[in-house]
Amino acid sequence: MNQSVIDEFDIEQIVPGFTAPTASPHNSDRATIEAANQNTRHWHSQVPGSLEPGSSTHLREICRMFRDTFNPYRPSVLDWPRLDPETLQRIVSLPIWDIAVQTEGRARLRISAYAKTLANPDLRDALALNAWEESRHKEVLSRMVAAYGIPLARAAPYKYPRDAEWAYLVTGYSECIDSFFAFGLFELARRSTFFPPELVETFEPVMQEECRHILLFANWVAWHRSRLSWWRRIRFEFRVLAAWCILGWQRIGLVRTIDADGREHKQDYNFTVSSAKSVSAAEVSVHEVMTVCLEENDRRFAGYDARLLRPTMMPGIVRFALRFLRRPKKENDVTGLSASASWQSWMIFTTSLAW
């Protein structure tokens, strides 16, 4: 694989032996779609006893979970609802779509590049499927912007990672951070009723896929860490720390990038946090937003076997912070969010979905 990879590539080109899954038929009825949505939310291993991180049983079961909970929805048949002129203008004017589509493309390349390096066929196939689903997320976003006439800048070529494990670490921890906030803010957008319910429901399968992705990642980290010798583990822990530091730095600053036409763009990796301030002002408090994020995080993971490890960093930080955050004297009704707050929730959701 060349160091510079164009946008159009198949996962099969990078990961030998991987076969793309079969999507659902175009004529799937509502009952079939609902059954697939339920299947992707619930999974329990039939293996008795504990799933010890580092064991072959643990690895086999996390890969089985990822295969068994696959949702075969087809992006080409997603129904994009007609929007009123005001809502459509707000969507078109959001400065996030270039970043969102391009980031999904980078994620699929980084994950498939790491999958290629793996000797274990079950883990390799699971990560290749993860990359394929990231590619499907990119298609969902691409079809959305096409449906609503949102112009996109020409993307710069994606760079094939020189260090595939590092690229997967950064991608995985980035998804753990941003999906945590996306879960809660997506729920706030849903409760607000400011957006057509059909538009929210269209993204629901993608949201649950993000939950599966970080569940797979958290268990891979534990499995991989447990199998390392002491000196390799020290190196790995330094890499984990470095990944968190880089992601934290990105979220407090701007990163300048150059597109394929040589134009400079600024990407705000702090978009989730800075936009949350708009949600948590008069309409919704910080305490309320963080509480909903925690509740939604727990709800989305609740259907999976309790023996599988969950991401703990962001929930732990937020639970600690909530001990020092006072509840507002006058509780706001989250179901009655203003249009402004609801719109900010939707922006955060779509951006976090990509990052």
Side-chain angles (χ1 to χ4, degrees):
M1 180 63 62
N2 296 329
Q3 290 301 305
S4 293
V5 182
I6 60 174
D7 181 47
E8 299 302 325
F9 69 91
D10 295 323
I11 308 301
E12 294 92 332
Q13 292 178 253
I14 300 178
V15 186
F18 172 71
T19 302
T22 302
S24 59
H26 283 281
N27 60 349
S28 295
D29 57 29
R30 184 65 186 176
T32 300
I33 294 173
E34 184 59 29
N37 289 337
Q38 288 298 315
N39 178 71
T40 198
R41 296 172 178 275
H42 301 89
W43 184 87
H44 294 273
S45 172
Q46 300 303 309
V47 175
S50 63
L51 298 177
E52 191 67 27
S55 67
S56 58
T57 302
H58 179 229
L59 177 64
R60 184 180 67 248
E61 293 307 293
I62 62 176
C63 294
R64 178 175 294 166
M65 175 279 298
F66 204 74
R67 292 194 305 269
D68 291 351
T69 57
F70 171 74
N71 189 336
Y73 72 87
R74 188 189 297 269
S76 61
V77 300
L78 293 179
D79 187 20
W80 299 105
R82 185 183 299 274
L83 303 178
D84 62 79
E86 183 180 0
T87 302
L88 179 60
Q89 179 56 35
R90 285 171 175 159
I91 287 181
V92 172
S93 63
L94 284 175
I96 65 172
W97 302 115
D98 295 327
I99 300 172
V101 174
Q102 293 171 23
T103 303
E104 292 292 1
R106 284 195 298 271
R108 67 171 179 168
L109 178 56
R110 291 173 178 178
I111 297 172
S112 57
Y114 182 62
K116 180 183 178 181
T117 69
L118 300 173
N120 184 283
D122 281 347
L123 184 57
R124 184 175 61 244
D125 287 349
L127 287 181
L129 178 58
N130 189 165
W132 186 89
E133 289 179 359
E134 296 289 0
S135 183
R136 184 166 60 173
H137 291 182
K138 181 176 183 292
E139 184 180 353
V140 169
L141 290 170
S142 297
R143 289 182 178 275
M144 176 184 174
V145 299
Y148 296 134
I150 302 172
L152 294 180
R154 182 186 173 196
Y158 298 119
K159 300 293 184 180
Y160 195 83
R162 291 180 294 179
D163 186 336
E165 181 188 86
W166 168 253
Y168 181 48
L169 274 175
V170 172
T171 300
Y173 281 122
S174 179
E175 287 195 330
C176 287
I177 295 170
D178 295 311
S179 292
F180 174 81
F181 292 104
F183 294 156
L185 294 164
F186 180 73
E187 174 62 12
L188 293 180
R190 186 190 67 79
R191 295 181 191 181
S192 72
T193 69
F194 182 65
F195 306 103
E198 298 84 0
L199 184 58
V200 178
E201 287 302 314
T202 296
F203 278 101
E204 176 56 35
V206 184
M207 288 298 297
Q208 197 61 34
E209 273 187 349
E210 291 293 351
C211 181
R212 291 171 55 255
H213 292 178
I214 60 180
L215 185 64
L216 175 64
F217 176 75
N219 282 271
W220 167 81
V221 169
W223 178 85
H224 184 66
R225 176 185 283 128
S226 298
R227 296 176 63 85
L228 296 174
S229 61
W230 68 268
W231 63 273
R232 289 184 182 274
R233 181 164 178 172
I234 291 175
R235 177 177 179 270
F236 181 74
E237 299 300 348
F238 272 113
R239 287 164 73 84
V240 169
L241 178 62
W244 278 106
C245 290
I246 288 174
L247 292 170
W249 179 256
Q250 286 179 342
R251 280 153 181 76
I252 61 174
L254 293 173
V255 176
R256 290 177 171 80
T257 60
I258 306 298
D259 68 13
D261 298 318
R263 293 175 295 183
E264 183 179 82
H265 298 270
K266 293 181 179 180
Q267 296 187 10
D268 184 3
Y269 285 92
N270 191 32
F271 189 84
T272 300
V273 177
S274 60
S275 295
K277 294 178 181 178
S278 297
V279 179
S280 60
E283 298 88 354
V284 184
S285 69
V286 174
H287 190 287
E288 207 161 8
V289 172
M290 294 299 99
T291 298
V292 174
C293 287
L294 279 173
E295 291 172 350
E296 281 300 295
N297 184 75
D298 292 343
R299 184 183 69 84
R300 287 192 178 273
F301 282 110
Y304 303 107
D305 196 309
R307 293 171 292 175
L308 296 179
L309 302 174
R310 273 68 167 160
T312 58
M313 180 65 79
M314 289 311 303
I317 290 174
V318 170
R319 285 191 175 94
F320 180 77
L322 283 175
R323 296 169 60 184
F324 303 95
L325 283 175
R326 294 182 180 179
R327 290 178 178 271
K329 292 182 179 180
K330 182 179 180 181
E331 290 291 341
N332 297 303
D333 181 8
V334 178
T335 60
L337 292 179
S338 71
S340 174
S342 305
W343 185 246
Q344 293 294 338
S345 297
W346 182 256
M347 289 197 296
I348 296 167
F349 153 63
T350 50
T351 307
S352 297
L353 174 67
W355 291 345

